[in-house]
Amino acid sequence: KLVTGVQTCALPICAGIDFDQHGTSHVVFRHGLAGRLSVPAHRPIKPVYAVRVVRFVEAVRGADDAE
């Protein structure tokens, strides 16, 4: 099953991750402790990129727990 951009972007909002797409082909997710992740903005989003976003969110949660 392919994941839509809306579904992918919903996870980071909950985790306090900033994201933007300034007219480019990628969405960039940022977090002060976990760094950044660039994901293609075209839809549908391939599962490999959805997995990367989930791992990024998990890294953010782990970093937040370490504080």
Side-chain angles (χ1 to χ4, degrees), residues 23-41:
T24 65
S25 62
H26 286 70
V27 175
V28 179
F29 298 97
R30 293 185 179 85
H31 185 270
L33 300 174
R36 63 186 285 268
L37 172 67
S38 180
V39 177

Side-chain angles (χ1 to χ4, degrees), residues 3-5 7 11 17 19 21 23-24 33 35 39 44 47 49 57 62-63 65-66:
V3 179
T4 68
Q7 291 168 318
L11 290 171
I17 297 171
F19 67 96
Q21 180 202 5
T24 65
L33 300 174
V39 177
Y49 296 109
V57 170
D65 290 344

